[in-house]
Amino acid sequence: MKRNRRICAFLVALLIIAPGLFASAEETAPQIAGLRYESTMALSYAECFDVFYYEGGYALIDVYGSARYLVVPEGSPIPEGLEAGVTVLQKPLDTLYLAATSAMALFDALDALDAIRLTGTEASGWYIENTVAAMNAGDMLFAGNYSKPDYELMVTQGCDLAVESTMILHMPKVQEMIELLGIPVFIDRSSYESHPLGRTEWIKLYAVLVDREKQADAFFASQEEIILRLSGFPNTEKTVAFFYVSSDGSIAVRRASDYVPKMIGIAGGRYAFPGLGADMDTQRSTVSLTMEEFYAAAVDADYLIYNASIDQPLKSMDDLLGKNSLFSDFKAVREGNVWCTGKYLYQATDIVGNLISDIRRMLTGEREGMTFLYQIH
């Protein structure tokens, strides 16, 4: 029952003129033997999951294209006869292994870092201050990365849930081993969200796991307010290319339907690759281009933003030219309008408005108050 919010108005009209064509929310909610459906979580931007609530504090998380997870309250029985493919998450969930780095900021915003005992990133790889402090204090331990987790540590620490990114899909034997140890695996698909606030709205999903729903609603409302204030920017008609150079020399750019191009649009810019990826039958957020393809589309772009959250940050223009000498032909390079993100960007799912503000400052010539971007000379 994947929603498409772009046709909500159309559906409302149909409900008015032909209400019998549509089932009620209770009729379409997944039926679970012995549980009575109560409500569905209200979502404004996220399109990759739903949460259904049932009497007794039970909740069913449906992550599209992935799996369903039944969250069972502490001390409550697991319903009998669950459908195949439903993973049971028995509370309390207070000893998590978190390998999905983008989720850490959301747990931090919920003041729920104490639920994360193990992480797939070493302290040196984190840019979230409270996470670094927790690791330095020994409250959070490195338990190997997603491809080589420390199974023994996960068992001895009593890990009750492994939160993985979609990278685990490339390591099916690792996921299988974790599950054989009796540890359920939850796969975060927030990177597939098409709206900037869609990723942030996953805070509501994680709040279900750690009983922080009210905090999640309040935090998300504050972030939504920031984005709504930013959305009034007039368009500058300046074009922006957001990319990085892969190790094989190809150029990785965002699909036009991705949240990053939408952030550029909210900030008052034009994405340099309109329509890119529209004909692709995949959920991947990036598209790989040859240098020649990238050159043809972006050589006259007004601004280049290098995505160093994936690659190493650029220290100078020479670093960019060292990746390919053709960059010297680019308008943005000639005019000194090359910018780079910091490594913190991908982990900052809680403050997406700051990147929009940075892009707006870049487009309007302001140089103070940047959070994620810095200019390359």
Side-chain angles (χ1 to χ4, degrees), residues 26-302:
E26 183 173 359
E27 290 172 337
T28 56
Q31 295 185 359
I32 301 176
L35 299 183
R36 184 186 296 274
Y37 166 81
E38 286 188 328
S39 63
T40 300
M41 177 182 285
L43 297 170
S44 301
Y45 302 91
E47 297 181 331
C48 294
F49 74 90
D50 260 319
V51 178
F52 304 95
Y53 294 102
Y54 300 81
E55 285 185 355
Y58 292 83
L60 184 75
I61 299 172
D62 186 359
V63 180
Y64 300 120
S66 180
R68 289 178 171 181
Y69 307 87
L70 181 64
V71 183
V72 179
E74 183 177 4
S76 296
I78 298 173
E80 297 182 359
L82 286 177
E83 293 183 5
V86 175
T87 299
V88 173
L89 306 180
Q90 179 87 57
K91 290 183 178 180
L93 299 167
D94 55 9
T95 312
L96 274 59
Y97 166 70
L98 193 147
T101 54
S102 63
M104 184 67 81
L106 303 181
F107 279 92
D108 187 29
L110 290 170
D111 192 25
L113 287 186
D114 57 350
I116 301 172
R117 177 57 175 162
L118 307 170
T119 173
T121 303
E122 297 186 66
S124 60
W126 285 111
Y127 304 94
I128 301 170
E129 291 183 3
N130 289 335
T131 301
V132 175
M135 296 198 74
N136 289 338
D139 297 327
M140 196 180 294
L141 306 175
F142 174 63
N145 63 26
Y146 77 94
S147 62
K148 294 182 179 180
D150 187 331
Y151 300 114
E152 183 177 356
L153 187 60
M154 294 173 74
V155 172
T156 58
Q157 290 295 316
C159 179
D160 44 38
L161 177 63
V163 180
E164 302 276 357
S165 73
T166 53
M167 295 298 291
I168 194 67
L169 299 176
H170 301 291
M171 308 294 295
K173 291 189 179 298
V174 173
Q175 179 177 348
E176 181 181 357
M177 183 61 186
I178 294 174
E179 292 171 339
L180 284 174
L181 295 174
I183 302 170
V185 173
F186 177 90
I187 301 178
D188 180 296
R189 287 179 175 257
S190 61
S191 62
Y192 293 150
E193 296 291 350
S194 61
H195 192 282
L197 280 172
R199 293 183 73 207
T200 306
E201 200 161 21
W202 277 66
I203 194 171
K204 296 180 181 180
L205 183 157
Y206 289 118
V208 174
L209 305 182
V210 293
D211 298 319
R212 297 283 203 285
E213 283 96 331
K214 289 183 179 180
Q215 294 92 323
D217 288 341
F219 178 83
F220 183 77
S222 69
Q223 292 301 303
E224 183 178 31
E225 183 179 355
I226 292 172
I227 297 292
L228 292 177
R229 288 203 305 267
L230 295 173
S231 63
F233 288 142
N235 200 283
T236 64
E237 301 302 329
K238 300 292 186 180
T239 51
V240 181
F242 186 92
F243 72 103
Y244 71 91
V245 181
S246 301
S247 57
D248 62 1
S250 63
I251 312 297
V253 300
R254 297 281 181 162
R255 296 179 64 171
S257 60
D258 182 65
Y259 63 89
V260 172
K262 286 184 172 61
M263 296 171 90
I264 292 171
I266 294 172
R270 299 289 186 195
Y271 189 50
F273 307 93
L276 181 66
D279 58 343
M280 297 173 60
D281 185 21
T282 177
Q283 288 185 307
R284 288 182 61 85
S285 60
T286 58
V287 177
S288 181
L289 302 178
T290 64
M291 184 59 184
E292 291 73 18
E293 292 170 328
F294 182 77
Y295 185 102
V299 67
D300 292 323
D302 296 296

Side-chain angles (χ1 to χ4, degrees), residues 335-368:
E335 297 182 355
N337 288 324
V338 179
W339 294 73
C340 188
T341 72
K343 296 292 289 183
Y344 176 40
L345 177 62
Y346 189 72
Q347 296 179 15
T349 48
D350 57 331
I351 51 173
V352 295
N354 292 47
L355 179 57
I356 298 174
S357 295
D358 284 3
I359 297 173
R360 181 63 184 180
R361 290 187 175 97
M362 177 191 75
L363 293 171
T364 57
E366 299 179 37
R367 298 294 182 263
E368 301 299 325

Side-chain angles (χ1 to χ4, degrees), residues 312-320 340 374-377:
Q312 291 302 311
L314 303 177
K315 296 179 180 178
S316 68
M317 200 71 79
D318 288 339
D319 287 346
L320 179 62
C340 188
Y374 62 93
Q375 193 170 13
I376 300 299
H377 299 285

